[in-house]
């Protein structure tokens, strides 16, 4: 599909503006990470005879680890293995390739090695180029150069990233889903391997993880549901004319209400209107057929009260909750009757499966007419 956007728009900023909190978190994190590495070098310039020193590409690694910790390119495997294999490739190139060609071959070889090992990390290319341009330290140490300073310093930076990001509300490293996981964390009807296949199809695997994609799709699904029902709230579809009982009403009174009304649930409310719980038909049957219940107890039904039979109303929803949110909750948790309460916890109505069906059918008829 063609667009009329001017060409110059392609050269403008692509990233969204960062929030003040994220600006502060990433800025301080980068400083903490590199500062910690510098302190490590000062405290122990040599470890087991291997030199520790700051190298410029660590700054690029810090950008990924502290600014975009959920990105696949920033994960520990990518950072540590990517930097180390790039250093190994650079040392190998320096030993066998003439100087004028070494920088180009080193960078190209590093990219090939990182992609092969599924350890793509952009600072690895910088390590390969830096090593080729300043070959003396790498040639003196040989392949140990990949272990120290490159591997050890990158590992130290990753360790500080794990501590800092977890402490500041970011998830690093981002755990990868197992192939055996039946569903992605978004509760979408897509398995984790299906989400991974989508990323591969659009060549986005290096840029976004499976879990992030699942959350984005779930949020989009929720927005679609809200748009589909024009931001209808629970208060707009609930049944407000209710049959209720008090907490001390006997089981006989509850049973009579079920028999005389075509209802499947009865809310239990205080005289003030505050919701206490809800009783389903199955609850009455369960109390009347409980093993060990004596005949005398059954005959004196006044001893069993609504408070004893009711189940908690922990699935109650706010009156202003969009129906799209409720549908997602019903899809994941189920439920036959959902109480609707106001800000003070007073019962306003009940949403049943019939109410949901009417809403769905109304939306279908409206779209068909359109």
């Amino acid at each position: 599909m063609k667009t009329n956007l001017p060409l110059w728009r392609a050269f403008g900023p692509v990233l969204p503006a960062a929030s003040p909190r994220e600006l502060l978190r990433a800025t301080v994190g980068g400083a903490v990470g590199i500062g910690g590495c510098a302190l490590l070098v000062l405290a122990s310039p040599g470890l087991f005879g291997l030199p520790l020193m700051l190298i410029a590409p660590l700054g690029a690694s810090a950008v990924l680890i502290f600014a975009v910790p959920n990105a696949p390119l920033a994960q520990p495997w990518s950072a540590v293995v990517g930097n180390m294999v790039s250093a190994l490739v650079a040392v190998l190139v320096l030993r066998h390739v003439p100087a004028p060609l070494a920088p180009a071959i080193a960078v190209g070889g590093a990219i090939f090695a990182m992609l092969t090992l599924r350890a793509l990390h952009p600072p690895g290319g910088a390590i390969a180029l830096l090593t080729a341009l300043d070959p003396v330290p790498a040639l003196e140490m040989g392949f140990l150069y990949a272990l120290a300073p490159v591997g050890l310093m990158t590992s130290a930076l990753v360790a500080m990233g794990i501590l800092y990001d977890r402490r500041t509300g970011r998830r690093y490293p981002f755990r990868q889903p197992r192939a055996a996981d039946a569903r992605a964390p978004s509760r979408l009807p897509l398995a984790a391997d299906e989400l991974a296949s989508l990323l591969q199809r659009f060549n986005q695997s290096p840029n976004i993880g499976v879990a992030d994609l699942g959350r984005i799709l779930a949020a989009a699904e929720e927005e679609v549901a809200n748009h589909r029902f024009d931001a209808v709230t629970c208060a707009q579809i609930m049944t407000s004319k209710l049959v209720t009982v008090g907490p001390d009403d006997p089981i006989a009174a509850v049973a009579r209400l079920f028999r005389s009304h075509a209802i499947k649930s009865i809310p239990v409310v205080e005289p003030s209107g505050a919701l206490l719980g809800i009783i389903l038909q199955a609850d009455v049957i369960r109390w009347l057929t409980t093993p060990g219940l004596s005949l005398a107890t059954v005959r004196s039904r006044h001893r069993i009260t609504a408070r004893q039979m009711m189940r908690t109303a922990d699935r109650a929803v706010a009156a202003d909750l969009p129906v799209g949110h409720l549908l997602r909750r019903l899809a994941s948790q189920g439920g036959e009757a959902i109480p609707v309460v106001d800000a003070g916890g007073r019962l306003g109505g009940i949403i049943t499966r019939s109410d949901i069906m009417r809403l769905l059918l109304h939306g279908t008829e409206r779209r068909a007419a359109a």
Side-chain angles (χ1 to χ4, degrees), residues 59-256:
S61 293
V63 171
L64 291 171
I65 292 171
F66 294 97
V68 285
N70 288 357
L73 300 179
Q75 300 313 299
W77 174 267
S78 297
V80 177
V81 176
N83 281 352
M84 289 183 67
V85 74
S86 297
L88 288 173
V89 168
V91 173
L92 185 64
V93 169
L94 288 174
R95 290 187 173 186
H96 301 284
V97 176
L101 298 177
I105 301 300
V107 172
I111 294 174
F112 176 83
M114 287 188 290
L115 285 173
T116 302
L117 295 174
R118 298 168 59 192
L120 189 63
H121 189 62
I127 286 178
L129 181 58
L130 177 66
T131 303
L133 294 176
D134 184 20
V136 175
L139 290 176
E140 288 179 351
M141 296 183 60
F143 292 112
L144 286 177
Y145 174 76
L147 177 61
V150 175
L152 290 178
M153 295 306 297
T154 304
S155 298
L157 186 65
V158 165
M160 282 180 279
I162 292 173
L163 294 175
Y164 180 84
D165 286 329
R166 289 296 182 91
R167 295 268 182 181
T168 55
R170 296 301 295 270
R171 192 169 183 175
Y172 180 80
F174 206 91
R175 292 195 295 270
Q176 298 300 314
R178 298 170 298 177
D181 288 345
R183 298 291 176 202
S186 63
R187 296 195 300 270
L188 287 171
L190 292 174
D193 57 349
E194 292 175 305
L195 291 175
S197 177
L198 285 174
L199 290 175
Q200 292 176 1
R201 186 192 308 174
F202 292 96
N203 297 319
Q204 293 299 314
S205 296
N207 301 319
I208 185 172
V210 168
D212 277 337
L213 176 61
R215 287 204 304 271
I216 292 171
L217 290 178
E221 182 188 42
E222 187 171 330
E223 289 297 322
V224 169
N226 289 335
H227 284 299
R228 178 182 178 185
F229 299 113
D230 298 327
V232 175
T233 64
C234 291
Q236 292 174 275
I237 69 167
M238 70 183 184
T239 299
S240 56
K241 295 182 179 180
L242 302 177
V243 175
T244 64
V245 295
D248 297 323
D249 288 356
I251 189 172
V254 176
R256 282 195 298 270

Side-chain angles (χ1 to χ4, degrees), residues 311-326:
R311 56 185 66 193
T312 60
D314 53 352
R315 293 188 178 181
V317 298
D320 59 353
L321 181 75
V323 171
H325 293 257
L326 177 63

